Amino acid sequence: MIPIGNEVVLSIKDLQKNYGKKQVLDGINLEVSKGQIIGYIGPNGAGKSTTVKILLGLEESYRGDIEIFGKRIQGNTEYKRKIGYVPEVAEMYDNLTAYEYLTFVGELYGLESEVVEQKAEKLMDLFGLSGLFHTRISSFSKGMRQKVLIISSLLHNPDLLFFDEPINGLDANSVMVFKEILSQLAANGKTVFYSSHIMDVVEKISSRIILLNGGKIVADGSFEELKKQNKEGTLEEIFNQLTGFNEHKEIAEQFVSVIQGDLI
Amino acid sequence: MKDFQTLKFLDMFKFLFVKLGIDYGVMRRILQVKLLMDQRRVPTIFNQTGKKKEKDQNYFIKGLWMYVLYGALLIPFMILGESYLFQTSIIFGIVMFLIMTSMISDFSSVLLDIRDKTVLATKPVERKTISMAKTIHVCIYLFFLSGALTLPSIIAGLIKHGILFTFLFLIEIIFIDLLIVVLTALIYFVILKFFDGEKLKDIINYVQIGLTIALAIGYQFVARSFDILNLDIVFVPSWWQFLIPPIWYAAPFELLLNHNFSPLYCFIFASLDCPNYLIHSLYKNDARL
């Protein structure tokens, strides 16, 4: 195993981003070291996906400094060679076959066609997609597409991974495999940036949890640390507490009564 | 994976792209995938029937016959007489309109693929290379489309008016294609500036409806102006004709073949530079295109 040092892989300084007048990110400061699995959580619209998009160079007009692998990312595309990305929405060229799509992605990362082909087919087999290598992605189920996306993000052996709801649609067994893959990758010195709404999974896999609310970081630390600070049992409860949400029962009651016909 | 004749042809110009600082290998790969996907893009009508068919059929190439047929309708204008300005401006007008319509309606999904952002922009590929791949993709379409549309009139022109005329005609078609690319880009640019990507599909539908109506009305106009002009085909240059692009492209015929050196014709000739100017202003404004 490769020893894990304190090498900083990603650093964000005072990141701000506006969509029109609405401020989505309001001064994010973050340093991520090698080998960490970051659970990046927050309510809908907190700015999780926006952060990831900025880090990948998909969004441009922002303020602040971002360094990945020690280099500023603005006007730089080379750093993407060592990055893997699974987008929140499964956007891919789905009228290609898995073989065509994966070799294409691999070649964009600069790999040899034959190498990617072998690697991709092997990974597909291991991930329970054997025999589907030459089938069009458009005929795949949601979970199968997601698996293809996960494979496409790992083909080039990246050092930094961005996963945005990666286990969407995956069955329980595949989720177990995937979680194990993550922890082994982290043990091998890869850094994972994992954003999700499924708290149980985040709680189990993350070595560090970052909670985003209203464009600001409101909590940062390991699950144990968060638990100590907030005196709550599960990450879900900590999440509710930190985002100031405690009326779920009332809302649910009203919701059900409206369904049943009481227009209060 | 399947290799395309078009790409083999493109290979001959590799040095040009390399000189522009473009990663040719990557660009070619993107184009290959794009063309492969286009081949599988089944028109909505065939969606139900051809589900089991895995064999690739190129619906685009098949559809070109329709355009050849349209093009054949232009032959009468071509062989009508010797008043080049009148004839060619009508032909160019129709050609421009048809190409423009199909660029916006049929190929908008091809030319403006939202998935490109997540698939291509997250990879270590220079933006320059992606833009060039997209531009070439558009040009390939344009080449086939305008080729099919003008082929009948080119042949008719060659027989009736000779080689010099045909040569000039070909050059003018290239200029018209340039103008169309720029105008289409401009339309998309304006749409994207005021509406987000989500609304684009709706807007394109409106454009399609608008263009269909314009087509119906436009044909009425052409037919009517024909009647009037049949009595008196003499063309009197006046200022508002600068605003009609087909006439810019028709002017050189009058100038070079009929030796009609009216100063206004020369001025129209100069407007050929228009696309060039538009491209520059567009590229300065927006690097996304």
PDB file of all heavy atoms in Angstrom, chain A residues 53 91 127 203 255:
ATOM      1  N   LYS A  53     -19.085  21.310 -10.614  1.00  0.00           N
ATOM      2  CA  LYS A  53     -18.991  21.784 -12.000  1.00  0.00           C
ATOM      3  C   LYS A  53     -17.884  22.817 -12.156  1.00  0.00           C
ATOM      4  O   LYS A  53     -17.178  22.832 -13.164  1.00  0.00           O
ATOM      5  CB  LYS A  53     -20.325  22.386 -12.431  1.00  0.00           C
ATOM      6  CG  LYS A  53     -21.299  21.331 -12.886  1.00  0.00           C
ATOM      7  CD  LYS A  53     -22.592  21.950 -13.356  1.00  0.00           C
ATOM      8  CE  LYS A  53     -23.604  20.872 -13.684  1.00  0.00           C
ATOM      9  NZ  LYS A  53     -24.958  21.408 -13.686  1.00  0.00           N
ATOM     10  N   GLU A  91     -25.827  11.825 -18.361  1.00  0.00           N
ATOM     11  CA  GLU A  91     -25.731  12.312 -19.730  1.00  0.00           C
ATOM     12  C   GLU A  91     -24.565  11.634 -20.423  1.00  0.00           C
ATOM     13  O   GLU A  91     -23.417  11.780 -20.027  1.00  0.00           O
ATOM     14  CB  GLU A  91     -25.510  13.831 -19.719  1.00  0.00           C
ATOM     15  CG  GLU A  91     -26.803  14.591 -19.551  1.00  0.00           C
ATOM     16  CD  GLU A  91     -26.585  16.078 -19.530  1.00  0.00           C
ATOM     17  OE1 GLU A  91     -25.451  16.504 -19.240  1.00  0.00           O
ATOM     18  OE2 GLU A  91     -27.544  16.812 -19.795  1.00  0.00           O
ATOM     19  N   PHE A 127     -18.429  -5.872 -13.045  1.00  0.00           N
ATOM     20  CA  PHE A 127     -19.523  -5.077 -12.493  1.00  0.00           C
ATOM     21  C   PHE A 127     -20.887  -5.652 -12.876  1.00  0.00           C
ATOM     22  O   PHE A 127     -21.906  -4.982 -12.816  1.00  0.00           O
ATOM     23  CB  PHE A 127     -19.402  -3.634 -12.996  1.00  0.00           C
ATOM     24  CG  PHE A 127     -19.678  -2.606 -11.927  1.00  0.00           C
ATOM     25  CD1 PHE A 127     -19.270  -1.290 -12.099  1.00  0.00           C
ATOM     26  CD2 PHE A 127     -20.355  -2.929 -10.760  1.00  0.00           C
ATOM     27  CE1 PHE A 127     -19.507  -0.335 -11.127  1.00  0.00           C
ATOM     28  CE2 PHE A 127     -20.598  -1.994  -9.789  1.00  0.00           C
ATOM     29  CZ  PHE A 127     -20.176  -0.691  -9.968  1.00  0.00           C
ATOM     30  N   GLU A 203     -22.440   8.452   5.614  1.00  0.00           N
ATOM     31  CA  GLU A 203     -21.979   8.227   6.979  1.00  0.00           C
ATOM     32  C   GLU A 203     -20.965   7.087   7.038  1.00  0.00           C
ATOM     33  O   GLU A 203     -19.959   7.160   7.726  1.00  0.00           O
ATOM     34  CB  GLU A 203     -23.207   7.906   7.853  1.00  0.00           C
ATOM     35  CG  GLU A 203     -22.907   7.690   9.313  1.00  0.00           C
ATOM     36  CD  GLU A 203     -24.160   7.263  10.079  1.00  0.00           C
ATOM     37  OE1 GLU A 203     -25.229   7.839   9.815  1.00  0.00           O
ATOM     38  OE2 GLU A 203     -24.056   6.364  10.925  1.00  0.00           O
ATOM     39  N   PHE A 255     -49.518  17.523   4.336  1.00  0.00           N
ATOM     40  CA  PHE A 255     -49.440  16.964   2.987  1.00  0.00           C
ATOM     41  C   PHE A 255     -50.489  15.875   2.806  1.00  0.00           C
ATOM     42  O   PHE A 255     -51.270  15.896   1.851  1.00  0.00           O
ATOM     43  CB  PHE A 255     -48.026  16.385   2.790  1.00  0.00           C
ATOM     44  CG  PHE A 255     -47.642  16.167   1.369  1.00  0.00           C
ATOM     45  CD1 PHE A 255     -46.917  17.119   0.677  1.00  0.00           C
ATOM     46  CD2 PHE A 255     -47.993  14.992   0.705  1.00  0.00           C
ATOM     47  CE1 PHE A 255     -46.546  16.917  -0.631  1.00  0.00           C
ATOM     48  CE2 PHE A 255     -47.633  14.789  -0.609  1.00  0.00           C
ATOM     49  CZ  PHE A 255     -46.904  15.759  -1.276  1.00  0.00           C
TER      50      PHE A 255
END
